[in-house]
Amino acid sequence: MGGMVLEELAEVSARVAATSSRSRKTELLAELFARTEPSELPVVIAYLSGRLPQGRLGVGWRVLREPVAPAERASLTVGQVDTAFTEMAAVKGAGSQAGRRRLVEGLWGAATEAEQRFLYGLVTGEVRQGALDAVAVEAVARASGVPVAGVRRAVMLSGSLEEVATAVLAGGEEALSGFGLVVGRPVQPMLASSSGSVAEAALGPCAVEEKLDGIRVQVHRVGERVSVYTRTLDDITVRLPEVVELARALPAERFVLDGEVLALDGEGRPRSFQETAGRVGSRLDVGTAAETLPVSVAFFDVLAVEGRELLDLGYAERAGALAALVPEVARVRRSVVADPGAEGAAERAEGFLAEALARGHEGVVVKGLDSVYAAGRRGAAWRKVKPVRTADLVVLGAEWGHGRRSGKLSNLHLGAREPDGSLVMLGKTFKGMTDEVLAWQTERLGELAESDDGHVVKVRPELVVEVAFDGLQRSSRYAAGVTLRFARLVRYREDKPVTEADSVASVRAAAGWDG
C-alpha cells in the first residue's frame, strides 16, 4: 500500500514538539504538507493537531499498558493506521476491550519504537503539545502560497482546517471562494478575552451586555428548517424544541443567530449552569425534559439575515439588524456607552454590571461598537468582566482521597496552555466538591486514566473545569513559575474543548498579576 509512511509523520511531529520557535514549527509543517498527497491531508493534519477523525476509540491505559515488541523497520503507512483506528472505534459490546487490545497489539507490533511513541501520544491526546491549529493554518498558507488571512477566515467559516487545507493545496487561492458563510453550516463562534473591570474593558465606544451563565448556541434557519449548534459545532436541534419554535416564529426565513440558552426559575432568575447543562444534555424524552425544565434563549448577535452576510459589519450595525429580527424578550440586555470618558459614563457602566449581578448573571461582556464578528477568534474587541477571578483549566490528574473521601478521586491537578500548545500545571484543588461531584469525577476520570501509582491517577487531558481563585503566587514547584492561591472548583465545563481552556498568560492577566 502506498502513501506517506508513518515514520515520516512521527519524525516531523517530534521535531515540531522539540522547537519553541513558531516560525520553525510553521516551516516544518509547510514542508510536510507540500509533499503530502491531497487524499491524505485530512488525516495528516488531524494527527499533527492531536485529533483522531474517528473520535473516541475506547482505548484506555489498561489496554495500552502492556508493552508490545516494536518492528525493526518502518513499513506502516498513514492510511493503514487510519484503517486500524476505524476498526478499533467500531468494536462494541461484550468483549470489546479484548477486541481493542488485539487490534492495538497488531498495530503496535507493526510500528517501530519511534512510531509506537507517536501512536501512544496520538491515542492518549499528548500530540496536541506539538502542532497547534493556529500554526498549522500558517503552514497551510505557506505551503499553498495563499494569504494566511484568507486561510484563517476559511477555516473559521467552514469549521474544518482539514477541508480548507485539502482545497487550497490543490486549487490555490481560488479555492477560498468556496468557503463563505453558509446558512445551515455552523461557524466557529467569536470569543471574549478577560478584563478585570468595566473601566479597563471600555477603551472606546462600546456596549455593555449581560454575560449569561448558560450554553452558547448558534441558530440557523433556512425556510422551515432550523438547526441549533453548540460552541463546539455539535448539532443539538432535537434537544431544544423551544428554540426551534422561537426561530420559526421570527419574521425572516434565512438567518444565523448567536446566543445563549439557559434555564430560569419562577422569578426569571437563572438556575445553576449544571441544571441548564443537564437539560441540554438530557437523554430523556425531549418532550418530557422540556416540560420538566424549560429553557429560554437570549440572542446577542446576528451573522446573516435574508441573504445578507453581516460578519464584516460593525457591532452597532449588527445590533440594529438583531433588534429588527428578534423581539426584546429574546435579546440579551445591553447598555450603550457612546463615550466612556463622558461624565457619568463609567458610573452607568458599573451600575449596569451591578444590575446584571443582582439579576443572577455572571457579569458583563464589553463590546466595541465598531468591532466586526471575528469568528473563532478571542481578541480585544469583546471583553468579559466577572467579579470573581476564574479560569478554565484542564484536568491533568487527580489524587485518591483520604478519610471521608477514601476511594474517591479528590485533589485535582490543574493545567493551563502554553503558547506552543503544551499543558503546564498551575496547582491543585480539592475544594468546592459535593458528594455528587466526587462520585461523578471518580467515574469519569477513571475512564480517562493513563496510569495509577496508587496515589495519583494521571488522565488524558480532555476535561475542562472552571476554577475560582484568589490570586497567584510565585512557585518553583511548577513549570509556569506561578501557582493558584486558594483555588476551588466552580463547575466542570464539558461544553468546552481543551483548545479553549485558558493559557498561562490569560490566567495571569485575569489575576492582574505580571510579577
Side-chain angles (χ1 to χ4, degrees):
M1 183 181 292
M4 178 175 289
V5 178
L6 181 64
E7 180 183 50
E8 182 179 7
L9 182 58
E11 180 183 352
V12 171
S13 178
R15 292 171 68 188
V16 167
T19 179
S20 59
S21 168
R22 187 184 182 97
S23 61
R24 180 55 179 157
K25 288 178 188 287
T26 303
E27 180 182 4
L28 288 167
L29 294 181
E31 291 172 353
L32 179 69
F33 295 160
R35 59 179 184 268
T36 302
E37 291 293 326
S39 62
E40 290 187 319
L41 266 171
V43 175
V44 167
I45 291 176
Y47 286 2
L48 286 167
S49 298
R51 290 189 296 272
L52 290 173
Q54 297 82 2
R56 291 184 180 179
L57 301 179
V59 175
W61 73 275
R62 292 180 179 85
V63 173
L64 298 173
R65 63 183 174 181
E66 298 297 331
V68 178
E72 293 185 0
R73 65 182 185 85
S75 62
L76 271 177
T77 66
V78 170
Q80 289 172 325
V81 173
D82 185 52
T83 298
F85 284 153
T86 299
E87 292 174 353
M88 290 180 201
V91 176
K92 308 290 182 185
S96 59
Q97 185 165 326
R100 293 191 193 99
R101 181 176 289 112
R102 285 193 297 272
L103 290 170
V104 166
E105 289 174 350
L107 180 59
W108 259 241
T112 64
E113 186 175 352
E115 290 172 335
Q116 284 188 355
R117 287 195 297 270
F118 178 75
L119 290 172
Y120 183 88
L122 187 58
V123 170
T124 60
E126 294 177 1
V127 170
R128 68 167 56 91
Q129 297 177 8
L132 292 173
D133 277 348
V135 178
V137 166
E138 295 173 8
V140 168
R142 179 179 297 189
S144 61
V146 174
V148 67
V151 175
R152 185 179 293 119
R153 182 181 176 87
V155 172
M156 292 171 188
L157 296 177
S158 72
S160 172
L161 170 59
E162 293 88 338
E163 182 183 352
V164 173
T166 302
V168 299
L169 284 166
E173 189 169 359
E174 291 184 3
L176 294 178
S177 61
F179 295 99
L181 188 151
V182 177
V183 180
R185 182 176 69 187
V187 304
Q188 295 176 357
M190 184 169 178
L191 305 173
S193 56
S194 297
S195 282
S197 67
V198 174
E200 177 186 312
L203 300 178
C206 61
V208 184
E209 291 184 348
E210 285 182 333
K211 186 180 189 309
L212 308 183
D213 191 17
I215 300 292
R216 183 85 172 263
V217 292
Q218 192 176 114
V219 178
H220 293 238
R221 177 180 173 182
V222 179
E224 288 301 300
R225 181 168 61 84
V226 174
S227 301
V228 185
Y229 302 96
T230 66
R231 65 186 294 154
T232 52
L233 313 188
D234 295 319
D235 190 332
I236 56 170
T237 308
V238 297
R239 301 181 190 176
L240 295 172
E242 308 99 312
V243 178
V244 172
E245 182 180 1
L246 172 62
R248 285 179 176 156
L250 297 179
E253 294 193 349
R254 194 176 189 86
F255 55 74
V256 180
L257 295 171
D258 195 356
E260 198 94 0
V261 162
L262 70 167
L264 303 174
D265 64 18
E267 298 179 353
R269 294 176 60 83
R271 293 180 180 270
S272 71
F273 174 83
Q274 284 77 9
E275 289 180 274
T276 297
R279 160 59 210 282
V280 174
S282 175
R283 296 182 180 179
L284 296 174
D285 173 73
V286 173
T288 301
E291 290 179 6
T292 304
L293 187 65
V295 295
S296 300
V297 63
F299 294 112
F300 50 76
D301 219 319
V302 55
L303 282 58
V305 62
E306 300 293 48
R308 292 180 62 215
E309 183 178 311
L310 310 181
L311 293 171
D312 295 327
L313 296 182
Y315 167 87
E317 292 180 84
R318 298 199 311 279
L322 180 67
L325 176 63
V326 178
E328 184 176 3
V329 69
R331 300 198 308 268
V332 169
R333 291 186 183 92
R334 68 187 185 107
S335 175
V336 174
V337 182
D339 181 3
E343 184 178 354
E347 290 77 8
R348 288 195 298 274
E350 292 290 349
F352 186 85
L353 170 59
E355 292 169 3
L357 295 172
R359 286 190 285 265
H361 299 302
E362 278 192 309
V364 296
V365 181
V366 180
K367 301 179 177 180
L369 293 184
D370 62 352
S371 61
V372 301
Y373 192 97
R377 302 296 296 278
R378 188 188 298 277
W382 287 11
R383 291 184 175 271
K384 55 187 176 183
V385 180
K386 297 191 287 186
V388 178
R389 290 169 175 158
T390 64
D392 292 325
L393 303 176
V394 182
V395 179
L396 304 178
E399 298 172 11
W400 289 108
H402 303 283
R404 190 176 68 83
R405 295 189 176 189
S406 181
K408 299 288 193 299
L409 286 174
S410 175
N411 205 11
L412 297 178
H413 292 196
L414 306 168
R417 295 183 297 107
E418 288 279 40
D420 65 353
S422 62
L423 295 167
V424 295
M425 193 166 165
L426 281 185
K428 307 177 184 180
T429 187
F430 57 85
K431 298 180 179 179
M433 300 173 190
T434 63
D435 290 342
E436 291 77 12
V437 168
L438 284 167
W440 180 87
Q441 75 182 20
T442 299
E443 179 180 357
R444 185 72 181 95
L445 295 179
E447 296 171 353
L448 299 176
E450 294 182 322
S451 65
D452 182 356
D453 64 6
H455 174 56
V456 177
V457 175
K458 294 183 178 180
V459 302
R460 295 198 302 274
E462 293 183 11
L463 283 180
V464 175
V465 288
E466 183 177 0
V467 175
F469 60 102
D470 289 356
L472 297 175
Q473 64 186 43
R474 292 185 183 279
S475 175
S476 59
R477 293 179 56 194
Y478 299 105
V482 295
T483 187
L484 305 172
R485 295 182 65 247
F486 305 113
R488 58 263 186 207
L489 177 70
V490 176
R491 56 179 169 165
Y492 276 86
R493 293 299 306 264
E494 289 191 281
D495 63 314
K496 205 167 211 182
V498 170
T499 52
E500 289 184 17
D502 282 304
S503 64
V504 175
S506 65
V507 173
R508 291 168 67 111
W513 197 86
D514 56 6

